[in-house]
């Protein structure tokens, strides 16, 4: 597994390539290509088109019938008004008015009424007196006969409607008939046969049918185009398949122990499961962009694709994550990307513990090698009979080990920190590096930030030791200088080495998780030590700086008082055997 920016170089610091660094080759990130089966192709679009055509045909037929009824009612009203106009014209005839008020005139009413009926095309024009007696009618036999309904114009107003008379059903209009003196003397009823109304309707219906056919054709074309678009949008899947995919997706997303986030081509979150919300610390993220959800940093760059590679390691306040981003394409069209997030906190913690055990092994091997050399020397003195010299040599060796421990104890009161420094000194000596504790160092027996200090000092010494070994040997020999000072307002840690130092411009990026110029030793990921120190310091209100150029100098300050003491379980430490029985602790790392 490889990290973005993970490379081989001469310094032991952080992540990011310095001059001359070598980058491990990575497997190219292959986009996810969705392949859709061709089974059932066209069925969904055909079903949609058929349903839409049926709906259009049904709605068109219903609309046509409703329009026909509406037009029939409109034509009825038009013919009723026409019949009323005929009746009013007849009622306005002076001859009829005079004959109806004064009597006499013979057949003048029938003659004038029939003339108007024939001229207007009405089916009948009937003049009725106030007693309901007909004075004109198309059927002469009915003249003088009473009508079968009451006089409707006694109120002096015209009336319209449909009438089923002796000549058949017709549109009827009734107008009041007044004599020359203005006295109401009767009623004129005129009617237009219904066959004329239906004839007018049938003449108009073909035009209406043509309009309905054109509308249905346009709707059918639109339905066909919509069905094709829906087919492309659903990638040819049937409705049942889409429903099944949705059910499978929901079950998969919320059932796996891996965070999954999907983005559309515009970078908005379209899918996110519960594990991703937990690991990334996101709430309701659907429809939002990453710059609206996360601050600028390595996590956001890993999610949006700014960082390339596989298994990109990202360190957060609570988790160590492995992030992979895959673009998604279909038929050459970019659909966005899918990001998977795995929680590697426990794994990295175990690997760091394994590194601590490896450090313990290195220390034991160094002590065993040194012990073997001393035993060989002591055995040789005894073999040649130099008993006094052997005794003096043994006393000298015991004193040297005790002297190392005591020299550290003069400045460091806490046994855990003493053990850590002595253990690191033993390992460094095996690798040809001298660790020097500054004369101005001063730390009490129960210092504040103790567990954080163990993490900080252990990681900084380890990085400084690798840097000193990796660089050219100076005239005075390879050296790492450590200073730990407990002051009134802060605790200061300073680690300097004689290595090649930090490349120019890398002072900021060196603290990013995953940034490393050291080769992977096969266990823990490189580039997490400084990132862990940086987060630990910042979380508790401290500062960390590093010098650029030859011989790096790291300076860490932690403010006092310690507002949030770390619990005992916050660290994992491993005991290292050190000379003279001094209590020692190997490199510790805070669990996050």
């Amino acid at each position: 597994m490889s990290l973005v920016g993970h490379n081989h170089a001469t310094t032991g610091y952080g992540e990011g390539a310095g001059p001359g660094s070598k980058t491990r080759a990575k497997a190219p990130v292959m986009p996810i290509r969705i392949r859709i089966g061709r089974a059932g192709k066209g069925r969904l679009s055909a079903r949609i088109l058929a349903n839409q055509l049926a709906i259009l045909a049904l709605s068109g037929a219903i609309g046509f019938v409703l329009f026909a009824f509406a037009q029939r009612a409109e034509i009825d009203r038009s013919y009723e008004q026409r019949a009323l106009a005929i009746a009013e014209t007849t009622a306005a005839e002076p001859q009829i008015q005079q004959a109806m008020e004064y009597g006499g005139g013979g057949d003048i009413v029938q003659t004038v009424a029939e003339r108007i009926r024939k001229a207007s095309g009405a089916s009948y024009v009937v003049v009725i007196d106030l007693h309901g007696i007909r004075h004109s009618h198309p059927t002469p036999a009915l003249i003088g006969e009473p009508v079968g309904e009451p006089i409707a114009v006694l109120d002096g107003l015209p009336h319209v409607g449909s009438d089923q008379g002796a000549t058949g059903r017709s549109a009827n209009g009734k107008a009041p008939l007044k004599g020359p003196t203005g006295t109401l003397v009767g009623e004129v009823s005129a009617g237009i046969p219904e066959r004329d109304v239906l004839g007018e309707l049938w003449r108009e219906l073909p035009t209406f049918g043509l309009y309905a056919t054109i509308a249905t054709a346009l709707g059918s074309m639109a339905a066909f185009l919509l069905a094709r678009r829906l087919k492309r949008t659903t990638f040819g899947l049937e409705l049942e398949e889409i429903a099944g995919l949705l059910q499978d997706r929901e079950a998969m997303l919320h059932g796996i122990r891996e965070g999954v986030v999907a983005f559309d081509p515009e970078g908005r979150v379209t899918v996110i499961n519960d594990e991703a919300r937990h690991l990334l610390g996101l709430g309701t993220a659907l429809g939002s962009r990453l710059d609206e959800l996360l601050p600028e940093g390595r996590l956001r760059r890993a999610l949006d694709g700014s960082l390339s590679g596989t298994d990109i390691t990202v360190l957060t306040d609570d988790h160590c994550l492995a992030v992979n981003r895959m673009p998604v394409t279909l038929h050459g069209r970019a659909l966005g990307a899918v990001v998977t997030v795995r929680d590697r906190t426990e794994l990295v913690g175990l690997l760091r513990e394994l590194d601590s055990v490896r450090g313990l092994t290195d220390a034991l091997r160094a002590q065993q090698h040194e012990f073997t050399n001393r035993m060989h020397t002591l055995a040789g003195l005894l073999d040649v009979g130099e008993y006094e010299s052997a005794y003096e040599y043994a006393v000298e060796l015991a004193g040297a080990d005790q002297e190392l421990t005591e020299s550290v104890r003069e400045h460091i009161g806490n046994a855990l920190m003493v053990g850590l420094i002595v253990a690191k000194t033993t390992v460094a000596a095996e690798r040809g590096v001298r660790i020097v504790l500054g004369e101005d160092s001063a730390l009490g027996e129960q210092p504040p930030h103790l567990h954080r200090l163990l993490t900080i000092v252990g990681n900084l010494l380890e990085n400084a030791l690798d840097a000193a070994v990796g660089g050219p040997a100076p005239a005075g020999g390879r050296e790492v200088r450590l200073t730990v000072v407990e002051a009134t307002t802060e605790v200061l840690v300073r680690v300097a080495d004689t290595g090649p130092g930090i490349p120019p411009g890398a002072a900021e990026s060196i603290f990013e998780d995953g940034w490393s110029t050291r080769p992977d030793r096969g266990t823990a990921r490189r580039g997490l030590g400084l990132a862990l120190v940086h987060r630990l310091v910042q979380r508790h209100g401290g500062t960390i700086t590093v010098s650029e150029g030859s011989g790096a100098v790291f300076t860490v300050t932690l403010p006092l008082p310690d507002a949030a003491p770390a619990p005992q379980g916050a660290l994992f430490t491993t005991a290292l055997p050190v000379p003279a029985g001094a209590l020692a602790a190997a490199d510790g790392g805070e669990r996050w």
Side-chain angles (χ1 to χ4, degrees), residues 89-162:
T89 301
T90 304
E93 280 290 330
Q95 291 176 316
I96 294 178
Q97 291 177 353
Q98 185 173 6
M100 290 299 295
E101 184 174 2
Y102 300 117
D107 296 331
I108 189 63
V109 174
Q110 170 70 2
T111 302
V112 173
E114 281 298 295
R115 175 171 53 83
I116 295 175
R117 181 184 71 81
K118 294 176 181 179
S120 62
S123 61
Y124 61 86
V125 175
V126 180
V127 179
I128 307 169
D129 61 22
L130 294 179
H131 301 289
I133 303 301
R134 298 184 182 94
H135 290 263
S136 67
H137 197 279
T139 304
L142 295 178
I143 298 175
E145 297 293 327
V147 297
E149 56 186 20
I151 302 300
V153 297
L154 294 178
D155 56 0
L157 298 177
H159 294 264
V160 294
S162 296

Side-chain angles (χ1 to χ4, degrees), residues 319-344:
H319 304 280
C320 181
L321 307 176
V323 180
N324 286 282
R325 178 185 172 97
M326 294 291 178
V328 180
T329 61
L330 177 65
H331 304 317
R333 179 161 53 109
L335 301 180
V338 173
V339 176
T340 58
V341 182
R342 285 178 290 158
D343 186 5
R344 302 190 59 184

Side-chain angles (χ1 to χ4, degrees), residues 296-319:
E296 172 60 30
R298 181 176 174 82
L299 178 58
R300 196 170 93 185
R301 295 199 301 274
L303 294 177
D304 65 15
S306 299
L307 297 179
S308 60
T310 59
D311 285 337
I312 301 173
T313 299
V314 178
L315 194 63
T316 68
D317 289 342
D318 301 308
H319 304 280

